């Protein structure tokens, strides 16, 4: 790698997911093939086409925030703060002598404070038309409030902003963090993403564009990436956080380095509002860009955590792109979609899947793609989709793909840390 860049490493992780509320819980559920899907408990689903989602389990805001503080935070900011807290604590970043002017927060969300917006509109419509709005309505709603809240909690005064690119949002945040650190603009950045849109509008809106599975008879097996009978994704909620740090800075403070970020790529399909390019052109371009940015060859990758949403067209286009990028090496890869277990966390998907990719390199274990029942002849049977059970193998490097409505594509590569 001949770039005049600083090495960038990961020193902390945090996760609040439908599979568990901490990193150990999340990873244990992933490797054991646990489904996070169940019937929705947050609102009455009687009249909805889809009645299930991957909701958080046993998450209660009052366990983390006092009542006054919780009322000032939309659920997407609450989960952001919880995941960030685990990442910051595990990183040991808050040591004596930390220059907080050089620590930033870059955070992704596809939609932001949807729950707050719905509540305020309900309150307005139930009144006499007099505009009575909560003074925290706008601060709770806006997407950039999550990184703002994290920075205020820890006094991090470095770069601070939100990334918005639909389901690629938090991968964009990680790539931006990578670039700020390797260019010397910050010593460390807390990055990731959060989403909390398991709501009437979230389910109803995605139902309206026929994006969601309607397999109400068996929610736990509804997310079926690469299965012949897949019928859409399962909506999820939660947050994932990483502490991304300059290697020399981490080394000086004796940090426990978990992985190295090798590179990232960005592209656009420039094709359709919601559908992927049928030949996977944007997906091909973004993976090639990530490899080029990392100074790596296709054969250096051992595992791809695919976008793999369980939609009829999306799964096909992504695999077509993978085969074009990797050629014969595609048959030596492990491929898996952890969305088969977590559901689709939209703007938080990239972060929680990046964490799965990092943990795969640390533990030399590939989490499975669950819920496979019927082979789809669209896919080459020689490809290893890691169906049913986790697989052990040496994982030198993992690539994580995320693609969003509007044709936004982001890929990031993590590799096993070596001095």
């Amino acid at each position: 790698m001949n770039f005049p860049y600083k090495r960038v490493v990961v020193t902390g992780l945090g996760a609040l997911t439908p599979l568990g509320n901490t990193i150990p819980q999340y990873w244990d559920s992933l490797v054991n093939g646990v489904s996070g899907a169940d019937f929705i408990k947050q609102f009455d689903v009687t009249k909805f086409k889809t009645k299930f989602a991957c909701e958080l389990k046993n998450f209660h805001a009052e366990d983390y925030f006092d009542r006054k503080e919780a009322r000032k935070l939309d659920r997407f900011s609450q989960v952001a703060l919880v995941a960030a807290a685990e990442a910051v604590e595990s990183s040991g970043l808050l040591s004596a002598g930390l220059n907080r002017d050089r620590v930033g927060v870059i955070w992704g969300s596809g939609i932001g404070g949807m729950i707050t917006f719905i509540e305020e509109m309900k309150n307005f419509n139930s009144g006499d038309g007099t505009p009575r709005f909560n003074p925290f309505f706008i601060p709770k709603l806006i997407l950039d409030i999550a990184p703002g809240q994290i920075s205020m909690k820890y006094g991090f005064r470095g770069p601070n902003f939100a990334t918005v690119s639909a389901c690629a949002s938090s991968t964009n945040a990680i790539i931006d963090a990578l670039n700020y650190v390797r260019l010397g603009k910050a010593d460390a950045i807390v990055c990731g993403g959060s989403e909390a849109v398991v709501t009437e509008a979230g389910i109803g809106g995605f139902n309206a564009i026929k994006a969601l599975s309607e397999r109400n008879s068996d929610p736990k097996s509804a997310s079926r990436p690469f299965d012949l009978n897949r019928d859409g994704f399962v909506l999820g909620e939660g947050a994932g956080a990483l502490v991304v740090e300059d290697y020399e800075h981490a080394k000086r403070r004796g940090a426990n380095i978990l992985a190295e970020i090798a590179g990232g790529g960005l592209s656009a399909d420039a094709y359709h509002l919601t559908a992927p390019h049928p030949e996977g052109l944007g997906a091909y371009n973004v993976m090639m860009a990530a490899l080029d940015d990392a100074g790596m060859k296709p054969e250096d990758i051992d595992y791809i955590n695919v976008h793999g949403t369980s939609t009829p067209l999306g799964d096909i286009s992504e695999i077509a792109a993978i085969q074009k990028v990797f050629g014969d090496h595609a048959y030596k890869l492990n491929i898996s979609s952890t969305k088969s277990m977590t559901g689709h966390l939209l703007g938080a998907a990239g972060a929680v899947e990046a964490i799965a990719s990092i943990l795969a390199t640390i533990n030399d274990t590939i989490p499975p793609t669950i819920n496979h029942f019927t082979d789809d002849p669209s896919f080459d049977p020689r490809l290893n989709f890691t169906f049913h059970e986790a697989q052990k193998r040496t994982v030198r490097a993992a690539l994580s793909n995320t693609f969003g409505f509007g044709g936004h594509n982001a890929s990031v590569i993590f590799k096993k840390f070596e001095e």
Side-chain angles (χ1 to χ4, degrees), residues 18 35-46 48 50-60 75 115 198-200 203 219-220 235 237:
S35 171
D38 208 338
F39 291 106
I40 292 169
K41 296 178 174 60
Q42 294 182 60
F43 63 94
D44 183 2
V45 297
T46 303
F48 287 81
T50 295
K51 305 179 188 303
F52 57 90
C54 288
E55 294 177 293
L56 295 174
K57 315 297 189 297
N58 302 311
F59 172 74
H60 307 288
R75 187 175 173 93
I115 292 174
V198 180
T199 62
E200 298 94 331
I203 294 293
K220 290 192 179 300
L235 189 61
E237 62 174 353

Side-chain angles (χ1 to χ4, degrees), residues 178-193:
L178 163 67
N179 287 330
Y180 272 87
V181 172
R182 69 179 174 183
L183 290 171
K185 304 295 185 182
D187 294 331
I189 291 183
V190 179
C191 60

Side-chain angles (χ1 to χ4, degrees), residues 223-301:
S223 183
R224 301 184 177 192
F226 315 117
D227 188 88
L228 177 64
N229 298 311
R230 62 191 182 279
D231 69 330
F233 68 79
V234 178
L235 189 61
E237 62 174 353
L242 295 75
V243 174
V244 171
E245 192 169 352
D246 169 24
Y247 165 66
E248 294 295 340
H249 184 269
K251 185 178 179 180
R252 283 195 299 272
R253 68 180 188 84
N256 178 31
I257 296 174
L258 304 174
E260 182 168 356
I261 309 184
L266 303 169
S267 78
D269 279 4
Y271 172 72
H272 188 273
L273 191 66
T274 58
H277 191 282
E279 297 173 4
L281 179 60
Y284 169 81
N285 286 339
V286 78
M287 287 185 279
M288 291 297 292
L291 288 166
D292 181 66
D293 188 51
M296 299 174 73
K297 299 176 181 178
E299 53 266 31
D300 295 327
I301 304 296

Side-chain angles (χ1 to χ4, degrees), residues 54 97 101 174 230 262 278 283 322 341 352 416:
C54 288
D101 291 341
I174 294 167
R230 62 191 182 279
I322 287 171
M341 295 174 277
V352 298
K416 196 180 293 292

Side-chain angles (χ1 to χ4, degrees), residues 130 138 176 179 192 209 217 247 298 302 310-312 334 360 362 383 398 414:
T130 302
I138 300 302
D176 279 355
N179 287 330
I209 56 174
S217 61
Y247 165 66
D302 295 312
S310 185
T311 56
N334 272 82
I362 294 170
L383 294 171
F414 301 96

